[in-house]
Amino acid sequence: MELNFDALVVGAGYAGAVCARELAERGGKRVLVLERRDHIGGNAYDRLDEAGVLIHQYGPHIFHTNDEAVFRYLCRFTRWRDYQHRVVADLPAPDGGRMQMPVPFNLTSLRKAFGPEEGKRLGEKLIAAYGAEKKVTILELRQNQDPELAKVADYVYEHVFVHYTMKQWGQTPDQIDPNTTARVPVFLSEDDRYFQDEYQGMPLKGYTPLFEAMLDHPNITVQLGEDAIPHLGLDGDVLTVDGVPFQGPVVYTGAADELFGRRFGPLPYRTLDFRFETLDQTWFQSRGAVNYTVDQPYTRITEFKHMTGQELEGRTTIVKEFSRAYTGAPEETPYYAIINGENNALYARYRALAERFPNLHLLGRLAEYKYYNMDAIVARALELAGQLI
Ligand code: FAD
Ligand code: UDP
């Protein structure tokens, strides 16, 4: 491995790529980026599949933020396609057929669930209790003592949350971190978009070109297919790279337990199996994502062309997501940290090991054991890089 660099970045996802760019450009450092996969972009990586459809290999990614600084920063590396994400729940209807309603559950969903008149009346009652255009988490709504509103809460819990959450987490909404279901609150509005953020969209040419642009700097060297862990020495008092003490910043964006040989035991994660299907039809479903909130073994179906805007006649690719416990097997990816008191305490032990090395920085969704969206990790990476420069 090349050793003439000033900073080492492990991982070429958002955390690693933003840090590398900042250290190289603003910090004037020669940065080596090691990426274990054979591509850049981390979980935001996209590519053309065998049928020529632009897919997101690790699940659908929709960019959305209220953070203007993050948005402006990314605008340096990409132009955008306007895309407002809209999702419906698909579930069995009382008549034996199927029905669809907007998710997040909103005033339209309420009328679909309870009929136009009753739904309207219940909507007015909810607005009187919480306010128009307000977002109320399902756990909050379930606290409501009013029998009619409790009936609404039970409906939403049963038809939107409990089965989907069991599929995704293997636990009920009451058992998981409340911030997780709070991502998809009941919305007392006619607005049927999944996000209300000021800036939302898709990189015009895809995520991978965005990463190519970000990493395209004379001070940055990227080595793909290279696992950093065998190169890092963390047993002594100083961090070593290939046995040589290294004083420059090391930004590590992989899993914290893996970095230390899982010596305190594995950090629990959920992994996903993605089943892609290319179909000989122009469209499969009405929108980018349909959530199966009551039945089916998968959580949702994504049809990429709705999101990317790619025009292609007679062909489309969809993906079904199946969630299960991560076992640590090499072919699995840890996608979701299972955030709770016990797991956070285990994470803190790994973090304390890392803190013994002042030049080692854990950054990102894996390394920090957090549920970061893309914009949040860009913001964190800019913050850390600012401290390191
Ligand atoms: P990652 O993207 O995971 O990058 C870490 C990189 O480090 C990986 O490429 C990995 O291979 C590499 N690495 C790990 N260990 C090593 C090692 N030892 N040596 C070398 N390289 C290593 N966010 C949104 O804002 N909107 C969305 O719609 C959205 N949808 C998502 C859907 C799914 C299914 C998932 C799982 C996440 C989604 N996210 C979304 C979150 C988004 O993926 C993350 O915010 C983002 O990828 C975090 O970037 P990161 O750099 O921290 O991690
Ligand atoms: N959720 C649900 N039903 C839905 C959508 C979401 O129960 O139709 C719950 C589920 O627990 C999920 C969480 O809300 O894990 C967060 O959903 P989000 O869409 O934000 O998850 P992401 O796929 O972005 O990680």
Side-chain angles (χ1 to χ4, degrees):
M1 195 172 79
E2 199 190 339
L3 266 176
N4 53 346
F5 52 89
D6 310 308
L8 177 63
V9 171
V10 178
Y14 275 101
V18 169
C19 259
R21 180 73 188 209
E22 290 296 282
L23 292 172
E25 190 171 58
R26 286 206 295 134
K29 295 188 195 303
R30 292 164 306 165
V31 184
L32 177 63
V33 181
L34 298 182
E35 170 54 60
R36 183 150 72 179
R37 290 172 173 167
D38 63 2
H39 60 75
I40 57 174
N43 288 340
Y45 172 69
D46 56 11
R47 65 171 175 92
L48 293 180
D49 68 8
E50 291 63 32
V53 181
L54 183 59
I55 58 162
H56 298 177
Q57 183 150 314
Y58 306 98
H61 278 68
I62 300 103
F63 184 80
H64 57 100
T65 193
N66 284 318
D67 188 331
E68 190 182 343
V70 164
F71 182 68
R72 294 275 155 246
Y73 183 76
L74 293 177
C75 286
R76 292 184 53 198
F77 309 110
T78 188
R79 290 162 58 215
W80 299 90
R81 154 174 206 267
D82 179 44
Y83 172 71
Q84 307 280 321
H85 196 44
R86 289 185 166 81
V87 178
V88 285
D90 185 297
L91 63 163
D95 67 3
R98 298 200 67 88
M99 61 180 191
Q100 294 194 332
M101 58 177 67
V103 172
F105 193 92
N106 65 9
L107 297 177
T108 308
S109 318
L110 200 56
R111 294 191 297 268
K112 294 234 175 190
F114 292 93
E117 277 163 37
E118 176 77 341
K120 183 163 175 284
R121 196 180 60 76
L122 289 169
E124 284 161 2
K125 196 161 179 185
L126 279 165
I127 288 171
Y130 297 98
E133 302 299 314
K134 282 287 173 337
K135 293 182 174 177
V136 187
T137 71
I138 183 60
L139 299 183
E140 229 178 309
L141 191 59
R142 289 187 91 210
Q143 304 293 320
N144 200 302
Q145 302 293 319
D146 179 286
E148 282 194 322
L149 297 189
K151 183 180 74 174
V152 173
D154 286 347
Y155 182 93
V156 179
Y157 187 80
E158 173 63 26
H159 293 84
V160 179
F161 283 97
V162 71
H163 303 286
Y164 188 103
T165 300
M166 282 303 297
K167 285 191 270 183
Q168 177 73 6
W169 298 97
Q171 290 182 301
T172 65
D174 314 272
Q175 293 168 320
I176 64 171
D177 178 15
N179 293 317
T180 301
T181 48
R183 290 166 60 91
V184 190
V186 172
F187 190 21
L188 302 182
S189 173
E190 303 289 341
D191 183 348
D192 63 354
R193 294 172 304 158
Y194 208 67
F195 311 110
Q196 278 68 44
D197 294 6
E198 174 138 14
Y199 306 101
Q200 31 188 324
M202 306 294 279
L204 192 60
K205 300 209 162 132
Y207 287 96
T208 303
L210 183 167
F211 282 90
E212 282 165 358
M214 210 180 319
L215 291 165
D216 179 18
H217 189 278
N219 283 347
I220 300 179
T221 305
V222 180
Q223 284 185 16
L224 297 177
E226 191 73 54
D227 188 341
I229 290 177
H231 296 286
L232 293 174
L234 298 167
D235 290 325
D237 293 335
V238 287
L239 184 155
T240 61
V241 179
D242 287 342
V244 180
F246 183 75
Q247 312 289 354
V250 175
V251 177
Y252 175 83
T253 75
D257 57 344
E258 243 190 292
L259 183 59
F260 295 102
R262 301 201 173 105
R263 68 179 70 164
F264 304 134
L267 276 169
Y269 284 96
R270 298 291 287 179
T271 189
L272 298 170
D273 293 319
F274 295 106
R275 285 201 207 140
F276 291 87
E277 291 169 36
T278 298
L279 309 165
D280 292 330
Q281 58 200 72
T282 303
W283 295 110
F284 171 76
Q285 62 191 27
S286 63
R287 59 200 67 220
V290 176
N291 287 2
Y292 288 81
T293 54
V294 172
D295 54 5
Q296 309 301 349
Y298 42 83
T299 50
R300 59 184 174 189
I301 300 183
T302 296
E303 184 172 20
F304 295 103
K305 290 200 300 178
H306 287 290
M307 298 177 180
T308 60
Q310 189 182 14
E311 287 178 24
L312 213 53
E313 280 295 312
R315 251 174 310 158
T316 191
T317 299
I318 61 169
V319 67
K320 296 177 179 159
E321 287 173 57
F322 300 77
S323 174
R324 62 185 167 85
Y326 172 69
T327 69
E331 69 282 2
E332 288 178 0
T333 304
Y335 288 111
Y336 291 92
I338 304 175
I339 292 163
N340 61 36
E342 191 185 338
N343 298 346
N344 292 353
L346 178 58
Y347 172 75
R349 296 181 70 192
Y350 286 112
R351 176 128 206 146
L353 285 182
E355 281 168 2
R356 291 182 16 245
F357 305 96
N359 60 331
L360 175 62
H361 306 278
L362 301 188
L363 177 75
R365 184 151 154 142
L366 287 168
E368 295 181 74
Y369 205 66
K370 289 225 166 100
Y371 203 147
Y372 281 129
N373 284 334
M374 295 185 275
D375 62 328
I377 192 55
V378 170
R380 269 291 295 137
L382 288 172
E383 189 187 1
L384 175 66
Q387 288 160 9
L388 297 178
I389 291 166

